[in-house]
Structures are given as structure tokens and as C-alpha cells.
Amino acid sequence: MPKRALITGITGQDGSYLAELLLGQGYQVHGVVRRSSTLNFSRIEHIQDRLTLLPGDLLDQNSLIDAVQQARPDEVYNLAAQSFVQTSWNQPVLTGEFTALGVTRVLEAVRLAAPEARFYQASSSEMFGQVRETPQTELTPFHPRSPYGVAKVYGHYATVNYRESYGLFACSGILFNHESPRRGLEFVTRKITDGAARIKLGLADELRLGNLEAQRDWGFAGDYVKAMWRMLQHDRPDDFVVGTGRTHTVRYFVEQTFAALGITLAWEGRELDEVGVDTANGRVVVRTDERFYRPAEVNLLLSDPTKAREVLGWTPEVDIEGLVEMMVRADYERLSTGRR
Ligand code: NAP
Ligand code: GDD
């Protein structure tokens, strides 16, 4: 009998890579999708005929119970969330409903309709926020710096609590930033690779960014979904930090991206007046803009993924340079063939 999986957030970046991984392992894959006036299945359209899509929303308890009853899953991956940190200041209540209480709703659906299923919660390095120690491990205290981070801390502890209260096989994966050509355009890496490709092709003049000094431990989403799967194959439920163990500034990501397109940048000015100049022809291509700064910043994230390596045998395969190359090439090709 093939194993059965249920993925919330299957239309998102991670959901699409995880669905591919599980199909490749012979799983029957079910995905929860919410109603929208226009279809947004672009990340899964290449595999859609092999998936069973079930209607449901993190705000609606009954729809989640129905989805679990229909899928009869062996494994449930809760990837759905309001996942953009910046938006969480603008919509803090909705972010709490989706990203915090939504976890309890999915856990309740599993407890009631499939208590033997293994459960994965998409927790986040954003929970470390104003970091108490570097690098961050499973034991580092949380200090979230955004409504999104606060909501993820709730989701993490809800997961731990259902494991301890009801004996659910519930795991929390504390994942550091992971990116891909399927990353949403609002996140900084994709904004940079898409923006730089547009500049190179003459489709845009400049790219406006916020804090260039923030440091992130960036990896490739295709590697990280393998860690999620491995957590649910382990012999007991546990929590794991997943990252590369390397960190870089946003500025470094910008420089690498433009370099991949043959543009070398020189920096002039400071903070809000800062510009990146294309040294070959003197044009300004990057500008800082206060609209993209955050009310409270997470300045530095750096993982210690020792536990994931030693217990799960997981290591990332794509490094930051490979990731930049993969993303900027995909954006350049897409835009140069007329797709916007
Ligand atoms: P993403 O691309 O933004 O995808 C989010 C998914 O959640 C989409 O499928 C979205 O559906 C769905 N969703 C949002 N609200 C929903 C609702 N009310 N009901 C049902 N579905 C809803 O995010 P991602 O990058 O794949 O991340 C996956 C998960 O990992 C998220 O929980 C995120 O917070 C967490 N995480 C991500 C990272 C990272 O660096 N990527 C790191 C740590 C943790 P629509 O397509 O309908 O919008
Ligand atoms: N989005 C964005 N846009 N970020 C910018 C910009 C800009 O124009 N300029 C600078 N940044 C900085 C942000 O201030 C932040 O420090 C960093 O770039 C990364 O921002 P995002 O790419 O939006 O990601 P994030 O780190 O806030 O959140 C992502 O990673 C979390 C894991 O740590 C998301 O994927 C979350 O869902 C995830 O939990």
C-alpha cells in the first residue's frame, strides 16, 4: 500500500517541492487548497494531475477535519501560513489567525480524525529574532521580533504540547531561510534576482531595497523539504534546526547576483542614501528606500544544524553561490523569453 500524505500550503514554494519529493517516493499526495477568485496553481501545475486537491482553509476548522478524513494520511505536513514577515505588522491579527491558531486547528483535525498520523509543523528561525546566542540551536531561547515570529512561537509550542498531551507524533522543524526560483517575489532574494535580471535586460532602471546589513543563513528549498520528510521517518518525534551553518548579508546577495550577470557594483553613501553603482558605465542600479525597512529587525541568523546532520543524516547540497546562480539564471531566462 502506498503511503498517504496531506500537505497544507501545497501551492506555496515548499509545498510544491515537498509534493514532488513525496510523489517520487511513491506517496499518494493530497493537498489543502483555499478558494480564490483566480487559480494560483502555477507552482504545482506540472504535477497537478498526480495530486488530490481538497478544499480547506486554516481559518475553518470543519474544512480541515474534512480534509484529514478524506486524505486518511500517514503523514501531515502543515506548511500553510501567512509567511511574509513585513505583512505581519500590517495584518497582525490575520497573521495570528493563520500562522498561530491555524496550527492548533490542524492539530485538532489530526487528533480527531487521524491520531496515528505523523505531523510536521513548519516552524521558523524568525522565532530566534533578537538572537540570544550564535549560532542558534534547538536549545536557543526565542525572542521573536515580528507578529509573524510571535505567531510561529505559538505554533511551535502548540506542536510540542500536542506531542506531550496526546502522544501525537508531532515534529517542529525550525527552518532557516530557504529560497528557490519558486520563491515569492516579495522576499528579498527573489526580489533581488528578478530585479537584477530586469535591469540587465533593460526592463527596469533600478532596484529599491531596505536594510542591506541584515544577515541570513540562506539555503535551497529543494534541500530543506528532504529534512522535513526525514523528521517524519525518524523513530521518535523531535524538533530540529535546519540550515546551512553559514550566514551572509543582503548586500553580499546583491553583489553576487549582479556579478552573475556581469555587473560589478561599487557602493556610495550610507544607509538611507546608499546606492550601488554599476562600475562599468556609472549608472545607479540599487537604491535604499525606507519603505523596505522594518519596525524591528532580525539582524543576524546563523544555524547550528549539527543535530539534523547527526540524527537525521541531513546535509544541504546547494551553497549560497549555487543558489544565487540558480535563481538569477531562472529569472533571466523567464524574462528574456517574454514571460513577466
Ligand atoms: P509560501 O510560499 O508563502 O506558501 C504559503 C502557503 O500557505 C501557500 O500555499 C498559501 O496558499 C497557504 N496559505 C496561506 N494562508 C492560508 C489559509 N488561510 N488557508 C490555507 N492555506 C493558506 O511559504 P513557503 O516559503 O513555502 O513556506 C512554507 C512554510 O514554512 C510557511 O509556514 C512558512 O511560514 C514556513 N517557513 C518558511 C521559511 C522559508 O524561508 N521559506 C523558513 C521557515 C519557515 P495560497 O497559494 O492560496 O496563498
Ligand atoms: N522582503 C524584503 N524586501 N526584505 C528586505 C528588503 C526588501 O526590499 N531589503 C532588505 N531586506 C531584508 C529584511 O529586512 C530582512 O532582514 C531580510 O532582508 C530577509 O527578508 P525576507 O526575504 O523578507 O525574509 P525574512 O527573513 O524576513 O523571512 C523569511 O525567512 C523566515 C525564516 O527565518 C520568510 O520566509 C519567513 O516565512 C521565514 O519564517
Side-chain angles (χ1 to χ4, degrees), residues 25-37:
Q25 310 254 23
Y27 280 68
Q28 284 183 9
V29 180
H30 298 72
V32 174
V33 291
R34 55 179 171 162
R35 198 261 161 189
S36 123
S37 64

Side-chain angles (χ1 to χ4, degrees), residues 185 188-208 257-258 261 285 328 331 334-335:
L185 283 162
V188 78
T189 54
R190 185 76 198 291
K191 182 175 172 183
I192 293 166
T193 59
D194 175 79
R198 281 175 195 276
I199 290 167
K200 178 74 179 175
L201 288 163
L203 301 170
D205 297 330
E206 62 179 25
L207 170 63
R208 288 180 176 260
T257 301
F258 278 93
L261 294 167
V285 290
V328 76
D331 278 319
R334 176 179 55 87
L335 292 164

Side-chain angles (χ1 to χ4, degrees), residues 148-168:
Y148 168 86
V150 171
K152 281 289 180 187
V153 171
Y154 172 100
H156 169 80
Y157 281 123
T159 303
V160 173
N161 181 253
Y162 272 58
R163 183 166 75 213
E164 294 176 355
S165 302
Y166 303 114
L168 288 195

Side-chain angles (χ1 to χ4, degrees), residues 83 124-125 148 177 183 186 188 191 210 214 216 294 297:
S83 74
S124 167
S125 53
Y148 168 86
N177 299 47
R183 187 58 142 153
E186 66 275 36
V188 78
K191 182 175 172 183
R216 290 291 182 277
R294 295 178 175 180
E297 179 62 284

